[in-house]
Amino acid sequence: METRSARRRRLSNSHHQTGVDYISHLPDAVLHHILTLLPIKTVAQSATLSSRWRSLWFTLPDLDFSNSIFNSNSNSNSNSNPADIIAGILNARDHKHSNVRLLRFSATLSFSRLNALFRIAVRHKIQHLHIQVSTNDYFNFPRGIIASDSLRVFSLRSIYPGFRLPPSSIMSSGFRLLSSLSLALMILDRPSLVDLFTDSSFPLLKKLNLESCSGLMNLRVQCPVLQDFSLEGCFQLQGLDVLGGKLERVRICSCFDAHGSSWVKIVAPNLKTLVWIYNAVTDEVNLGDLKSLNQASLGLLCQHFSNTKLHSVSALLSAISPAHSLTFEPSFLDVLSSNNYFACYLPAFNNVRCLELKTVSKKHNCSVVANIFRSCPVLHTLTIKIVDAPSNGRKDWRKEKWEKIVSEEEHFWETQIEPLESFRLHLKIVRMEGFMECFNEVSLTHFLLKYGTSLQELSIFTNKTNHRDSLKRRAIKSLIMGFSRASPHVKLRYC
């Protein structure tokens, strides 16, 4: 009977005798997919293996140079300039029968070399073009790329110093087939560009991302099939008008002039996700009826709130009230903490099943957190992420110190038993991340365990600590694990 080792030797010898190269016999499409997972330099080196691998290299549809042979310190006058290397690789292919689908690179270039690469990309009918570039001076947006009839996805991110768009009459004449557009660090100093992103200019655009737009005071976006819109780093913005019947996701981050008057209007009846973080509060907020909203994230800049801006925050909160999942950033909790107005006018989030609070462990946040809990009567899953903690937030956890100070925290949550009745009856899962062993956190944990009658799981994840704090941590863990529990089925984890 043949042993296992003898069988392995026989199969090994058989393989060497036949000399079959199974990898090379795979279809081109499969090998192209495998090669796209490797660094572009490694793929180019494989062309020396055989004529088959050389053919694979010259027909590779996706060319990604972003993390390979180039770096941000490339000298534009060097013989190994990134633009010259990319141009040489593309020019080695027959542009009449080119199958290049994607070109992506990041480099420091002169405008002339960058413009030359744009012309080559148009000649090879590239469909997806992603460029991250740094130049010696401001440059004008290459007009040649506008007329491309093959481009579907285009991303131009200027690291330094930025670029200017041509007049809207030229921009609107191209990009007729573009489905995704991303522009970063551009100068919008022409008033005519305010109405650039409309159905007449981008009839097929589904995704639009604009970042760090200098000089952008007002913007109107009304693309008929737009589904995803993102605007970030536009601090001079005063007016935003977005209209989209098919719009599903909107992300507005770090926008609006905090010192002047500003307004926002969004009409998107099918909107499913709204991210509104680190924005200055506008004087007017009109978000329409967001009846399809599923997820919303909210964070506001702390500033002086006039009555007008307080009403704008209320309008914003009311607009996102249909959401099923909410995320509140630390800055938003600070806004609620600094204004007693929201203790009375916080709307009810009757559909919210998942809530994520990103907070700093502060004593004055207790009442705000309780108000948010009261506004979420059918909450199922609660996630609390403690992103930071002041140095004075830690307490002395000796038993006599605990008994002296904890009474105030415990008393506050005891007063919330009746107002939070619906919240306590529906809450099933709690997850605390970044646990800092402060009184606020421990007292909240005690309250949830003691009165959470439907609680099924409570997980506490602490920050890393040094050996000096290990004894204190074990004492706190022992304290929490010994808390009474209203739900006999709750699983308590502390790690």
PDB file of all heavy atoms in Angstrom, residues 324-328 352-357 372-373 376 379 381-384 423:
ATOM      1  N   HIS A 324     -33.699  56.689  11.165  1.00  0.00           N
ATOM      2  CA  HIS A 324     -33.705  55.467  11.973  1.00  0.00           C
ATOM      3  C   HIS A 324     -32.374  55.270  12.709  1.00  0.00           C
ATOM      4  O   HIS A 324     -32.302  54.483  13.646  1.00  0.00           O
ATOM      5  CB  HIS A 324     -33.983  54.255  11.087  1.00  0.00           C
ATOM      6  CG  HIS A 324     -35.352  54.265  10.475  1.00  0.00           C
ATOM      7  ND1 HIS A 324     -36.425  53.628  11.057  1.00  0.00           N
ATOM      8  CD2 HIS A 324     -35.821  54.856   9.354  1.00  0.00           C
ATOM      9  CE1 HIS A 324     -37.501  53.813  10.303  1.00  0.00           C
ATOM     10  NE2 HIS A 324     -37.163  54.558   9.266  1.00  0.00           N
ATOM     11  N   SER A 325     -31.338  55.974  12.261  1.00  0.00           N
ATOM     12  CA  SER A 325     -30.025  55.868  12.889  1.00  0.00           C
ATOM     13  C   SER A 325     -29.429  57.269  12.997  1.00  0.00           C
ATOM     14  O   SER A 325     -29.378  57.999  11.999  1.00  0.00           O
ATOM     15  CB  SER A 325     -29.103  54.958  12.066  1.00  0.00           C
ATOM     16  OG  SER A 325     -27.802  54.915  12.605  1.00  0.00           O
ATOM     17  N   LEU A 326     -28.958  57.636  14.203  1.00  0.00           N
ATOM     18  CA  LEU A 326     -28.415  58.971  14.441  1.00  0.00           C
ATOM     19  C   LEU A 326     -27.009  58.881  15.022  1.00  0.00           C
ATOM     20  O   LEU A 326     -26.720  57.994  15.837  1.00  0.00           O
ATOM     21  CB  LEU A 326     -29.293  59.759  15.409  1.00  0.00           C
ATOM     22  CG  LEU A 326     -30.598  60.362  14.882  1.00  0.00           C
ATOM     23  CD1 LEU A 326     -31.311  61.096  16.010  1.00  0.00           C
ATOM     24  CD2 LEU A 326     -30.337  61.310  13.723  1.00  0.00           C
ATOM     25  N   THR A 327     -26.158  59.834  14.614  1.00  0.00           N
ATOM     26  CA  THR A 327     -24.833  59.997  15.202  1.00  0.00           C
ATOM     27  C   THR A 327     -24.654  61.457  15.574  1.00  0.00           C
ATOM     28  O   THR A 327     -24.812  62.344  14.732  1.00  0.00           O
ATOM     29  CB  THR A 327     -23.725  59.568  14.220  1.00  0.00           C
ATOM     30  OG1 THR A 327     -23.871  58.186  13.895  1.00  0.00           O
ATOM     31  CG2 THR A 327     -22.346  59.792  14.842  1.00  0.00           C
ATOM     32  N   PHE A 328     -24.337  61.716  16.834  1.00  0.00           N
ATOM     33  CA  PHE A 328     -24.094  63.072  17.307  1.00  0.00           C
ATOM     34  C   PHE A 328     -22.617  63.230  17.643  1.00  0.00           C
ATOM     35  O   PHE A 328     -22.069  62.476  18.456  1.00  0.00           O
ATOM     36  CB  PHE A 328     -24.944  63.394  18.541  1.00  0.00           C
ATOM     37  CG  PHE A 328     -26.414  63.533  18.245  1.00  0.00           C
ATOM     38  CD1 PHE A 328     -27.363  63.101  19.154  1.00  0.00           C
ATOM     39  CD2 PHE A 328     -26.836  64.101  17.062  1.00  0.00           C
ATOM     40  CE1 PHE A 328     -28.719  63.237  18.882  1.00  0.00           C
ATOM     41  CE2 PHE A 328     -28.190  64.240  16.774  1.00  0.00           C
ATOM     42  CZ  PHE A 328     -29.128  63.806  17.685  1.00  0.00           C
ATOM     43  N   VAL A 352     -35.891  56.436  15.733  1.00  0.00           N
ATOM     44  CA  VAL A 352     -34.479  56.086  15.938  1.00  0.00           C
ATOM     45  C   VAL A 352     -34.355  54.768  16.690  1.00  0.00           C
ATOM     46  O   VAL A 352     -34.854  54.624  17.809  1.00  0.00           O
ATOM     47  CB  VAL A 352     -33.748  57.207  16.708  1.00  0.00           C
ATOM     48  CG1 VAL A 352     -32.346  56.755  17.096  1.00  0.00           C
ATOM     49  CG2 VAL A 352     -33.670  58.458  15.857  1.00  0.00           C
ATOM     50  N   ARG A 353     -33.667  53.844  16.043  1.00  0.00           N
ATOM     51  CA  ARG A 353     -33.398  52.548  16.656  1.00  0.00           C
ATOM     52  C   ARG A 353     -31.933  52.405  17.055  1.00  0.00           C
ATOM     53  O   ARG A 353     -31.596  51.631  17.949  1.00  0.00           O
ATOM     54  CB  ARG A 353     -33.761  51.424  15.679  1.00  0.00           C
ATOM     55  CG  ARG A 353     -35.212  51.429  15.239  1.00  0.00           C
ATOM     56  CD  ARG A 353     -36.096  50.766  16.267  1.00  0.00           C
ATOM     57  NE  ARG A 353     -35.829  49.328  16.339  1.00  0.00           N
ATOM     58  CZ  ARG A 353     -36.289  48.531  17.273  1.00  0.00           C
ATOM     59  NH1 ARG A 353     -37.039  49.034  18.245  1.00  0.00           N
ATOM     60  NH2 ARG A 353     -36.029  47.234  17.274  1.00  0.00           N
ATOM     61  N   CYS A 354     -31.055  53.153  16.368  1.00  0.00           N
ATOM     62  CA  CYS A 354     -29.617  53.103  16.669  1.00  0.00           C
ATOM     63  C   CYS A 354     -29.114  54.522  16.905  1.00  0.00           C
ATOM     64  O   CYS A 354     -29.339  55.410  16.082  1.00  0.00           O
ATOM     65  CB  CYS A 354     -28.843  52.458  15.512  1.00  0.00           C
ATOM     66  SG  CYS A 354     -29.290  50.747  15.174  1.00  0.00           S
ATOM     67  N   LEU A 355     -28.428  54.716  18.022  1.00  0.00           N
ATOM     68  CA  LEU A 355     -27.906  56.030  18.379  1.00  0.00           C
ATOM     69  C   LEU A 355     -26.442  55.917  18.761  1.00  0.00           C
ATOM     70  O   LEU A 355     -26.064  55.053  19.552  1.00  0.00           O
ATOM     71  CB  LEU A 355     -28.698  56.612  19.556  1.00  0.00           C
ATOM     72  CG  LEU A 355     -28.178  57.931  20.160  1.00  0.00           C
ATOM     73  CD1 LEU A 355     -28.298  59.062  19.153  1.00  0.00           C
ATOM     74  CD2 LEU A 355     -28.928  58.275  21.449  1.00  0.00           C
ATOM     75  N   GLU A 356     -25.625  56.794  18.181  1.00  0.00           N
ATOM     76  CA  GLU A 356     -24.206  56.853  18.520  1.00  0.00           C
ATOM     77  C   GLU A 356     -23.868  58.247  19.031  1.00  0.00           C
ATOM     78  O   GLU A 356     -24.077  59.242  18.335  1.00  0.00           O
ATOM     79  CB  GLU A 356     -23.339  56.523  17.305  1.00  0.00           C
ATOM     80  CG  GLU A 356     -21.843  56.561  17.589  1.00  0.00           C
ATOM     81  CD  GLU A 356     -21.000  56.148  16.396  1.00  0.00           C
ATOM     82  OE1 GLU A 356     -21.324  55.128  15.762  1.00  0.00           O
ATOM     83  OE2 GLU A 356     -20.017  56.855  16.096  1.00  0.00           O
ATOM     84  N   LEU A 357     -23.359  58.306  20.257  1.00  0.00           N
ATOM     85  CA  LEU A 357     -22.952  59.564  20.870  1.00  0.00           C
ATOM     86  C   LEU A 357     -21.440  59.599  20.987  1.00  0.00           C
ATOM     87  O   LEU A 357     -20.838  58.723  21.608  1.00  0.00           O
ATOM     88  CB  LEU A 357     -23.584  59.726  22.261  1.00  0.00           C
ATOM     89  CG  LEU A 357     -25.104  59.780  22.357  1.00  0.00           C
ATOM     90  CD1 LEU A 357     -25.520  59.930  23.814  1.00  0.00           C
ATOM     91  CD2 LEU A 357     -25.661  60.922  21.532  1.00  0.00           C
ATOM     92  N   ILE A 372     -31.381  63.601  25.356  1.00  0.00           N
ATOM     93  CA  ILE A 372     -31.324  62.843  24.097  1.00  0.00           C
ATOM     94  C   ILE A 372     -31.969  61.477  24.281  1.00  0.00           C
ATOM     95  O   ILE A 372     -32.725  61.009  23.417  1.00  0.00           O
ATOM     96  CB  ILE A 372     -29.863  62.721  23.630  1.00  0.00           C
ATOM     97  CG1 ILE A 372     -29.297  64.100  23.272  1.00  0.00           C
ATOM     98  CG2 ILE A 372     -29.769  61.788  22.427  1.00  0.00           C
ATOM     99  CD1 ILE A 372     -27.836  64.102  22.915  1.00  0.00           C
ATOM    100  N   PHE A 373     -31.685  60.819  25.396  1.00  0.00           N
ATOM    101  CA  PHE A 373     -32.317  59.522  25.665  1.00  0.00           C
ATOM    102  C   PHE A 373     -33.843  59.658  25.688  1.00  0.00           C
ATOM    103  O   PHE A 373     -34.548  58.809  25.140  1.00  0.00           O
ATOM    104  CB  PHE A 373     -31.839  58.978  27.016  1.00  0.00           C
ATOM    105  CG  PHE A 373     -30.412  58.501  27.014  1.00  0.00           C
ATOM    106  CD1 PHE A 373     -29.765  58.201  28.207  1.00  0.00           C
ATOM    107  CD2 PHE A 373     -29.704  58.351  25.824  1.00  0.00           C
ATOM    108  CE1 PHE A 373     -28.451  57.755  28.212  1.00  0.00           C
ATOM    109  CE2 PHE A 373     -28.387  57.910  25.824  1.00  0.00           C
ATOM    110  CZ  PHE A 373     -27.761  57.620  27.030  1.00  0.00           C
ATOM    111  N   CYS A 376     -35.509  59.658  22.377  1.00  0.00           N
ATOM    112  CA  CYS A 376     -35.427  58.415  21.587  1.00  0.00           C
ATOM    113  C   CYS A 376     -36.181  57.309  22.328  1.00  0.00           C
ATOM    114  O   CYS A 376     -35.549  56.402  22.914  1.00  0.00           O
ATOM    115  CB  CYS A 376     -33.974  58.016  21.361  1.00  0.00           C
ATOM    116  SG  CYS A 376     -32.969  59.274  20.549  1.00  0.00           S
ATOM    117  N   LEU A 379     -35.448  53.406  21.301  1.00  0.00           N
ATOM    118  CA  LEU A 379     -34.057  53.087  20.970  1.00  0.00           C
ATOM    119  C   LEU A 379     -33.735  51.630  21.287  1.00  0.00           C
ATOM    120  O   LEU A 379     -34.070  51.121  22.363  1.00  0.00           O
ATOM    121  CB  LEU A 379     -33.121  54.012  21.748  1.00  0.00           C
ATOM    122  CG  LEU A 379     -31.637  53.935  21.376  1.00  0.00           C
ATOM    123  CD1 LEU A 379     -31.423  54.431  19.961  1.00  0.00           C
ATOM    124  CD2 LEU A 379     -30.783  54.724  22.357  1.00  0.00           C
ATOM    125  N   THR A 381     -30.333  50.167  20.097  1.00  0.00           N
ATOM    126  CA  THR A 381     -28.877  50.043  20.247  1.00  0.00           C
ATOM    127  C   THR A 381     -28.260  51.398  20.532  1.00  0.00           C
ATOM    128  O   THR A 381     -28.460  52.354  19.780  1.00  0.00           O
ATOM    129  CB  THR A 381     -28.254  49.442  18.970  1.00  0.00           C
ATOM    130  OG1 THR A 381     -28.856  48.180  18.697  1.00  0.00           O
ATOM    131  CG2 THR A 381     -26.752  49.265  19.145  1.00  0.00           C
ATOM    132  N   LEU A 382     -27.491  51.463  21.610  1.00  0.00           N
ATOM    133  CA  LEU A 382     -26.821  52.697  22.019  1.00  0.00           C
ATOM    134  C   LEU A 382     -25.313  52.484  22.015  1.00  0.00           C
ATOM    135  O   LEU A 382     -24.806  51.548  22.627  1.00  0.00           O
ATOM    136  CB  LEU A 382     -27.273  53.119  23.417  1.00  0.00           C
ATOM    137  CG  LEU A 382     -26.495  54.260  24.091  1.00  0.00           C
ATOM    138  CD1 LEU A 382     -26.684  55.563  23.322  1.00  0.00           C
ATOM    139  CD2 LEU A 382     -26.922  54.431  25.546  1.00  0.00           C
ATOM    140  N   THR A 383     -24.603  53.366  21.301  1.00  0.00           N
ATOM    141  CA  THR A 383     -23.138  53.340  21.275  1.00  0.00           C
ATOM    142  C   THR A 383     -22.619  54.680  21.781  1.00  0.00           C
ATOM    143  O   THR A 383     -23.003  55.736  21.267  1.00  0.00           O
ATOM    144  CB  THR A 383     -22.604  53.084  19.853  1.00  0.00           C
ATOM    145  OG1 THR A 383     -23.107  51.837  19.375  1.00  0.00           O
ATOM    146  CG2 THR A 383     -21.084  53.042  19.850  1.00  0.00           C
ATOM    147  N   ILE A 384     -21.775  54.636  22.794  1.00  0.00           N
ATOM    148  CA  ILE A 384     -21.169  55.842  23.342  1.00  0.00           C
ATOM    149  C   ILE A 384     -19.659  55.760  23.129  1.00  0.00           C
ATOM    150  O   ILE A 384     -19.008  54.846  23.628  1.00  0.00           O
ATOM    151  CB  ILE A 384     -21.484  56.006  24.842  1.00  0.00           C
ATOM    152  CG1 ILE A 384     -22.995  56.130  25.066  1.00  0.00           C
ATOM    153  CG2 ILE A 384     -20.775  57.223  25.412  1.00  0.00           C
ATOM    154  CD1 ILE A 384     -23.394  56.243  26.521  1.00  0.00           C
ATOM    155  N   PHE A 423     -37.631  54.642  27.114  1.00  0.00           N
ATOM    156  CA  PHE A 423     -36.239  54.372  26.732  1.00  0.00           C
ATOM    157  C   PHE A 423     -35.724  53.113  27.429  1.00  0.00           C
ATOM    158  O   PHE A 423     -35.110  52.235  26.812  1.00  0.00           O
ATOM    159  CB  PHE A 423     -35.387  55.588  27.104  1.00  0.00           C
ATOM    160  CG  PHE A 423     -33.908  55.372  27.025  1.00  0.00           C
ATOM    161  CD1 PHE A 423     -33.240  55.445  25.818  1.00  0.00           C
ATOM    162  CD2 PHE A 423     -33.174  55.090  28.181  1.00  0.00           C
ATOM    163  CE1 PHE A 423     -31.867  55.239  25.752  1.00  0.00           C
ATOM    164  CE2 PHE A 423     -31.810  54.892  28.128  1.00  0.00           C
ATOM    165  CZ  PHE A 423     -31.154  54.967  26.902  1.00  0.00           C
TER     166      PHE A 423
END
